[in-house]
Amino acid sequence: MGAVSATADERVAKVSVFRRLLMKPELGAVIGAILIFLFFSFLSPVFHSAAGIANWLDPASTIGIMAVAVAMLMIGGHFDLSAGVQIGSAGLIVGILTTHFHLFIWASIAVSLVVVLAIGAFNGYLVVRTGLPSFIITLATFLMLQGLNLGLTKLIINTVQVGGIREEPGYDSAKAVFASQFTLFGQEFQITILWWILWTALATWILMHTRFGNWTFATGGDRNASRNVGVPVKSTTIKLFMIVSAAAWFVGTTEALRLGSMQANAGFGRELIFIVAAVIGGCLLTGGYGSAIGAAIGALIFGMTSQGIVYAGWDSDWFKFFLGAMLLLAVLSNEYVRRRAATQKKG
Amino acid sequence: MTMAPETAIDAPVLELRNVSKYFGSVISLKDISTSVRAGEVTCILGDNGAGKSTLIKTLSGVYQPDEGEVLMDGQPITLDSPRAALDAGIATVFQDLAVVPLMSVWRNFFLGSEPTKGKGPFKRFDQATAKSIARKELKDMGIDIRDPDQAVGTLSGGERQSVAIARAVYFGARVLILDEPTSALGVKQAGVVLKYIVQARDRGLAVVFITHNPHHAFPVGDRFLILNRGHSMGDFAKNEITREELTAMMAGGAELEQLAHELSRDSADPQVREAGREFKDEAADLGIAD
């Protein structure tokens, strides 16, 4: 074995460090994040102060937890348009069960997890069973959940806002886990930032170092080929949808606990943000390629841009333009990398 | 009487007896018999629509025969799914190769059968083992992959084919079925793949090599089954047939002769007549026309 690995093949040496870096899916996002950080730091000194950093890391963290899960699903070759509205469902279940039915808060959180995981399993099952594009299946789930969130909330509590979660027993312990702050260098940061790092590390480990991760890349890369070599394509797909749901549960619970209340229309329209963050992070829309770290950095870019524009004193309408431009750049560079990676050698 | 016991021990690894397959009123395969032994290559030849694909799918468990039987080591078996065929030691390398282009060579090599280490929630893909085995196996097959970390999509057609073959060999296949492995390749690449077929054979595998090219089949084959429109045109051992006869049977000699005549006589264009003459000469060399 030693002889094999020690043999310095002169053709291998040609692959430079630079090209190896170029093949990393998250490279573009890292460069983008550095440039955006420098850009807004230059425009406003507050941007890179401890308070400023805490401020833009907060939105980045919740978007990041979702983007990492959505990236895993995208690598597996699917979309989940119901990801945003599931956040709302998760938060509403926690809110209504504790405030209206006076279920102990941790029990409500557990019920919320079970229900949202079931939604994910439903999405995944329909996708593998029908073979229809996940885009259309989850669009249907998205619409149905949107209706259910509003309809059921009104039916049960006669209003569209669940309030008063803070007064329920057990709130403090739940808040400590999901929605507390920690102090670093004299600055308070949201604990979701730590959770975001943990989710990213876990997702990276799963993707790169487990069989399930290998199957995720394979399922997204070529479903038929994967099936032919014995990859459990169907169960992998269903589990990926459930991972997105688990992330939605986490973020939904966090938001309900942080605010002490939940709007029945919470989460609508955020699903695209997660997909954009994953794509900026290097995920291919066609599946089979991408990284969790990339998606986390994509979310960071989101957080920095949304807050940076405020610090720079610009009209916040520019945010959308920036985002669109970044998405376009990301898609173009991803496409270039994909072509480099998948081009057949001649001869 | 030394022949009888020898035959019993030396039963073919895989044998088809009078296999037929119908799709509604379409006769896809009719009364096909052939066999493949360990350390031998059986070639299945036929033009498009001859029933080659149906035959492979029957051998690899995708279809079940409507009549006749499949025997493994002399015992009848039922292959009711691709997984069952795999478990019986029948590995099929389909034309699409079942590789994922964006994934690295070593990840593809172990896809679906990844080695693991660690326990419980820390069970993980043993990448170091996977990489070193993939590199060693490819090298042992005489396959020279520069870097196992490179994406399979960047390999040439012949190299991809060789990765798929090496994978089947490593995962304990006793029968290796290759579906038109040389059809999309250039001359040099096809030669490389033929070399891997010989390698697999020398390692004691029973190889079923499907092709429509008698020039690829003849040098490596020990047995030849020729299909035409779902029927067997014959099942020959190598010493029973010559390359020319094989080519003639494959092409449907009479039709080719007719074409050669038409080209050489009926055209006013001297260039076409010339091409026709050359074609006829070549056909004569192959023993198709005179």
Side-chain angles (χ1 to χ4, degrees):
Chain A
M1 282 325 307
V4 178
S5 46
T7 311
D9 192 326
E10 74 285 357
R11 291 167 302 180
V12 176
K14 277 185 204 156
V15 183
S16 64
V17 177
F18 175 73
R19 267 210 63 180
R20 275 187 184 275
L21 267 180
L22 207 65
M23 299 322 273
K24 292 267 180 205
E26 58 270 11
L27 177 81
V30 172
I31 293 173
I34 293 170
L35 289 179
I36 287 165
F37 178 79
L38 292 176
F39 178 69
F40 284 115
S41 295
F42 176 74
L43 285 178
S44 159
V46 190
F47 186 80
H48 62 266
S49 70
I53 291 171
N55 209 350
W56 50 254
L57 278 179
D58 178 24
S61 66
T62 46
I63 292 171
I65 290 169
M66 287 305 293
V68 163
V70 165
M72 288 180 78
L73 181 66
M74 278 181 77
I75 293 169
H78 292 285
F79 291 107
D80 188 352
L81 292 182
S82 68
V85 74
Q86 284 185 51
I87 295 175
S89 305
L92 286 168
I93 292 168
V94 171
I96 292 172
L97 287 181
T98 47
T99 61
H100 189 78
F101 295 99
H102 299 291
L103 194 63
F104 185 57
I105 200 157
W106 283 105
S108 309
I109 290 169
V111 171
S112 171
L113 175 63
V114 171
V115 173
V116 179
L117 282 180
I119 296 170
F122 175 78
N123 276 336
Y125 177 77
L126 279 185
V127 166
V128 299
R129 191 62 213 260
T130 62
L132 288 167
S134 51
F135 186 84
I136 210 75
I137 297 277
T138 58
L139 180 62
T141 328
F142 162 71
L143 292 170
M144 289 193 294
L145 283 179
Q146 201 171 340
L148 279 174
N149 282 2
L150 283 163
L152 282 179
T153 307
K154 274 201 237 174
L155 204 66
I156 297 169
I157 62 170
N158 278 319
T159 165
V160 290
Q161 188 185 3
V162 193
I165 301 173
R166 283 202 176 101
E167 286 75 47
E168 296 299 323
Y171 172 78
D172 290 336
S173 64
K175 184 180 188 279
V177 172
F178 288 95
S180 59
Q181 289 85 32
F182 65 96
T183 308
L184 197 69
F185 307 119
Q187 174 62 43
E188 277 205 335
F189 290 89
Q190 294 289 343
I191 197 157
T192 43
I193 296 165
L194 294 183
W195 284 116
W196 171 38
I197 294 167
L198 196 70
W199 271 85
T200 308
L202 190 66
T204 303
W205 185 76
I206 290 173
L207 282 173
M208 304 310 292
H209 299 279
T210 67
R211 300 185 76 185
F212 181 78
N214 213 35
W215 297 342
T216 303
F217 279 101
T219 302
D222 190 329
R223 219 161 294 161
N224 261 328
S226 305
R227 197 176 297 123
N228 283 345
V229 295
V231 171
V233 170
K234 288 184 178 179
S235 76
T236 303
T237 305
I238 293 174
K239 281 177 194 157
L240 286 170
F241 275 101
M242 291 174 77
I243 288 172
V244 172
S245 294
W249 161 78
F250 193 91
V251 172
T253 305
T254 299
E255 293 186 352
L257 293 172
R258 190 188 283 183
L259 301 169
S261 68
M262 199 78 189
Q263 296 283 344
N265 65 353
F268 294 9
R270 285 167 71 182
E271 54 286 327
L272 289 181
I273 294 177
F274 312 139
I275 293 172
V276 170
V279 171
I280 289 177
C283 284
L284 285 183
L285 290 161
T286 44
Y289 191 77
S291 85
I293 293 176
I297 296 170
L300 185 68
I301 288 178
F302 239 100
M304 286 198 293
T305 315
S306 64
Q307 302 300 311
I309 282 175
V310 178
Y311 286 131
W314 297 349
D315 193 319
S316 61
D317 295 340
W318 287 100
F319 173 58
K320 287 280 164 64
F321 173 81
F322 253 88
L323 220 57
M326 238 149 11
L327 177 65
L328 189 62
L329 261 175
V331 172
L332 293 177
S333 76
N334 288 355
E335 185 54 26
Y336 169 77
V337 169
R338 188 192 64 81
R339 227 176 286 154
R340 287 289 288 264
T343 306
Q344 191 174 331
K345 194 186 68 174
K346 294 279 174 285
Chain B
M1 294 319 287
T2 51
M3 284 301 286
E6 205 176 17
T7 315
I9 294 164
D10 196 29
V13 179
L14 193 63
E15 187 177 359
L16 292 179
R17 278 196 197 152
N18 309 104
V19 164
S20 300
K21 180 73 190 170
Y22 311 103
F23 292 99
S25 60
V26 178
I27 300 166
S28 194
L29 287 177
K30 184 70 189 167
D31 213 14
I32 305 296
S33 300
T34 190
S35 62
V36 55
R37 291 165 187 279
E40 289 193 3
V41 179
T42 293
C43 298
I44 297 175
L45 292 120
D47 215 338
N48 295 340
K52 299 193 298 287
S53 299
T54 311
L55 190 63
I56 304 161
K57 287 183 174 162
T58 307
L59 289 174
S60 59
V62 179
Y63 298 149
Q64 286 71 51
D66 292 321
E67 287 163 13
E69 53 184 1
V70 180
L71 293 93
M72 204 156 181
D73 302 318
Q75 301 296 318
I77 53 163
T78 311
L79 303 170
D80 49 14
S81 71
R83 190 77 241 178
L86 271 173
D87 291 343
I90 303 172
T92 309
V93 178
F94 285 104
Q95 263 173 308
D96 68 8
L97 299 180
V99 291
V100 181
L102 281 167
M103 292 175 82
S104 65
V105 171
W106 64 272
R107 277 186 185 268
N108 263 292
F109 194 93
F110 282 97
L111 190 55
S113 314
E114 297 86 352
T116 56
K117 62 180 178 185
K119 286 214 168 64
F122 300 106
K123 197 165 131 180
R124 58 200 183 276
F125 185 5
D126 188 350
Q127 302 188 352
T129 305
K131 274 187 205 181
S132 70
I133 292 176
R135 201 182 285 137
K136 180 177 180 297
E137 286 300 312
L138 289 167
K139 206 177 159 63
D140 286 356
M141 284 284 289
I143 300 162
D144 187 19
I145 297 290
R146 288 165 298 285
D147 176 7
D149 267 319
Q150 76 185 105
V152 162
T154 61
L155 300 179
S156 69
E159 286 171 331
R160 290 188 206 197
Q161 193 79 46
S162 62
V163 170
I165 294 173
R167 179 168 68 183
V169 171
Y170 176 72
F171 285 106
R174 297 180 56 214
V175 181
L176 180 63
I177 303 173
L178 301 166
D179 182 11
E180 304 248 9
T182 55
S183 66
L185 302 180
V187 176
K188 200 173 148 204
Q189 290 280 327
V192 172
V193 170
L194 291 178
K195 197 180 89 191
Y196 300 139
I197 292 176
V198 172
Q199 285 267 5
R201 179 198 71 192
D202 291 347
R203 285 179 148 215
L205 273 83
V207 182
V208 178
F209 172 28
I210 290 98
T211 179
H212 57 243
N213 190 333
H215 302 290
H216 290 165
F218 197 78
V220 298
D222 296 295
R223 177 163 283 278
F224 304 91
L225 169 69
I226 299 129
L227 294 178
N228 189 16
R229 301 171 75 84
H231 294 265
S232 170
M233 307 271 290
D235 180 29
F236 304 98
K238 192 162 198 165
N239 56 18
E240 295 167 353
I241 194 166
T242 64
R243 185 194 293 252
E244 289 71 30
E245 285 164 346
L246 193 64
T247 312
M249 288 185 87
M250 263 292 296
E255 288 163 42
L256 211 62
E257 190 180 2
Q258 181 67 30
L259 183 63
H261 275 286
E262 277 172 21
L263 279 171
S264 62
R265 283 182 187 162
D266 300 345
S267 178
D269 185 340
Q271 261 182 325
V272 173
R273 272 207 305 277
E274 177 58 26
R277 238 189 318 276
E278 276 174 25
F279 189 69
K280 200 179 165 192
D281 289 345
E282 224 164 278
D285 287 346
L286 292 171
I288 298 166
D290 46 14

Coordinates of all heavy atoms in Angstrom, one line a residue, chain B residues 4 13 21 25 45 57 84 90 92 94 100-101 108 171 177 179 201 212 244 248 254 284 287:
Chain B
A4 N -18.6 -38.0 -17.7 CA -19.8 -37.7 -16.9 C -19.5 -37.0 -15.6 O -20.0 -35.9 -15.3 CB -20.6 -38.9 -16.7
V13 N -21.3 -21.9 -14.4 CA -21.7 -21.1 -13.3 C -23.2 -20.6 -13.5 O -24.0 -20.6 -12.7 CB -20.8 -19.8 -13.1 CG1 -21.3 -19.0 -12.0 CG2 -19.4 -20.3 -12.9
K21 N -39.3 -15.2 -23.5 CA -39.9 -14.0 -22.9 C -40.8 -13.3 -23.8 O -40.4 -13.0 -25.0 CB -38.8 -13.1 -22.4 CG -39.3 -11.8 -21.7 CD -39.8 -12.1 -20.3 CE -40.5 -10.9 -19.7 NZ -41.2 -11.3 -18.4
S25 N -48.1 -9.7 -27.3 CA -48.0 -10.6 -28.4 C -46.6 -10.6 -29.0 O -46.3 -11.3 -30.0 CB -49.0 -10.2 -29.5 OG -48.7 -8.9 -29.9
L45 N -24.1 -11.9 -29.2 CA -24.0 -11.0 -30.3 C -25.4 -10.8 -30.9 O -26.2 -11.8 -31.0 CB -23.0 -11.5 -31.3 CG -21.6 -11.5 -30.9 CD1 -21.0 -12.9 -30.9 CD2 -20.8 -10.6 -31.8
K57 N -31.5 -8.4 -19.0 CA -32.4 -8.1 -17.9 C -32.9 -9.3 -17.3 O -33.3 -9.3 -16.1 CB -33.5 -7.1 -18.4 CG -33.0 -5.7 -18.7 CD -34.0 -4.7 -19.1 CE -33.5 -3.4 -19.1 NZ -34.3 -2.4 -19.9
A84 N -31.6 -9.7 -5.8 CA -31.5 -11.1 -5.7 C -30.3 -11.6 -6.6 O -29.5 -12.5 -6.2 CB -32.8 -11.8 -6.1
I90 N -24.3 -12.2 -9.2 CA -24.3 -11.8 -10.6 C -24.3 -10.3 -10.7 O -25.3 -9.6 -10.2 CB -25.6 -12.3 -11.3 CG1 -25.7 -13.8 -11.2 CG2 -25.7 -11.8 -12.8 CD1 -27.0 -14.4 -11.7
T92 N -24.1 -6.8 -12.9 CA -24.3 -6.3 -14.2 C -23.8 -4.9 -14.3 O -24.1 -4.1 -13.5 CB -25.8 -6.3 -14.6 OG1 -26.3 -7.6 -14.3 CG2 -26.0 -6.0 -16.0
F94 N -24.3 -2.0 -16.5 CA -25.2 -1.5 -17.5 C -24.5 -0.4 -18.3 O -23.5 0.1 -17.9 CB -26.5 -1.0 -16.9 CG -27.4 -2.1 -16.5 CD1 -27.5 -2.4 -15.1 CD2 -28.1 -2.8 -17.4 CE1 -28.4 -3.4 -14.7 CE2 -29.0 -3.8 -16.9 CZ -29.1 -4.1 -15.6
V100 N -21.9 7.9 -10.5 CA -22.4 9.2 -10.3 C -21.3 10.2 -10.7 O -20.2 10.3 -10.0 CB -22.8 9.5 -8.8 CG1 -23.3 10.9 -8.6 CG2 -23.8 8.5 -8.4
P101 N -21.4 11.0 -11.8 CA -20.3 11.7 -12.4 C -19.7 12.7 -11.4 O -18.5 12.9 -11.5 CB -21.0 12.5 -13.6 CG -22.2 11.7 -13.8 CD -22.7 11.1 -12.6
N108 N -17.5 6.5 -5.6 CA -18.3 5.7 -6.5 C -18.0 4.3 -6.3 O -18.9 3.4 -6.4 CB -18.0 6.1 -7.9 CG -19.0 7.1 -8.5 OD1 -20.1 6.8 -8.7 ND2 -18.5 8.3 -8.7
F171 N -16.5 -6.6 -5.4 CA -17.6 -7.0 -4.5 C -18.1 -8.4 -4.8 O -19.3 -8.7 -4.6 CB -18.8 -6.0 -4.6 CG -18.5 -4.7 -3.9 CD1 -18.1 -3.6 -4.6 CD2 -18.4 -4.7 -2.5 CE1 -17.8 -2.4 -3.9 CE2 -18.1 -3.6 -1.8 CZ -17.8 -2.4 -2.5
I177 N -21.8 -9.4 -16.0 CA -22.5 -9.2 -17.2 C -22.1 -7.7 -17.7 O -22.3 -6.8 -17.0 CB -24.0 -9.3 -17.1 CG1 -24.3 -10.7 -16.5 CG2 -24.7 -9.1 -18.4 CD1 -25.7 -10.9 -16.1
D179 N -22.9 -4.9 -20.5 CA -23.8 -4.5 -21.5 C -23.2 -3.5 -22.5 O -23.0 -2.4 -22.2 CB -25.1 -3.9 -20.8 CG -26.1 -3.5 -21.8 OD1 -26.0 -3.9 -23.0 OD2 -27.1 -2.8 -21.4
R201 N -11.7 -12.3 -16.5 CA -11.8 -13.7 -16.8 C -10.6 -14.5 -16.1 O -10.8 -15.5 -15.5 CB -11.7 -13.9 -18.4 CG -11.7 -15.3 -18.8 CD -11.2 -15.5 -20.2 NE -9.7 -15.2 -20.3 CZ -9.0 -15.0 -21.4 NH1 -9.6 -15.0 -22.5 NH2 -7.7 -14.8 -21.3
H212 N -22.4 -5.8 -30.3 CA -22.9 -6.1 -31.7 C -21.6 -6.1 -32.6 O -21.8 -6.0 -33.8 CB -23.9 -5.0 -32.1 CG -23.5 -3.6 -32.0 ND1 -24.1 -2.7 -31.2 CD2 -22.5 -3.0 -32.6 CE1 -23.5 -1.6 -31.3 NE2 -22.5 -1.7 -32.2
E244 N -14.9 -15.1 -39.5 CA -15.7 -14.7 -40.7 C -17.1 -15.2 -40.6 O -18.1 -14.5 -41.0 CB -15.0 -15.3 -42.0 CG -13.7 -14.6 -42.3 CD -12.6 -14.9 -41.3 OE1 -12.6 -16.0 -40.7 OE2 -11.7 -14.0 -41.1
A248 N -20.5 -13.0 -40.6 CA -21.5 -13.2 -41.6 C -22.9 -13.5 -40.9 O -23.9 -12.9 -41.3 CB -21.1 -14.4 -42.5
A254 N -26.7 -12.5 -46.5 CA -27.4 -12.2 -47.8 C -27.8 -10.8 -48.0 O -27.6 -10.2 -49.1 CB -28.7 -13.1 -47.8
A284 N -16.2 -10.0 -49.3 CA -15.7 -11.2 -49.8 C -14.6 -11.7 -48.9 O -14.5 -12.9 -48.6 CB -15.1 -11.0 -51.2
G287 N -15.9 -13.5 -46.1 CA -16.6 -14.7 -46.4 C -18.1 -14.5 -46.5 O -18.8 -15.5 -46.4

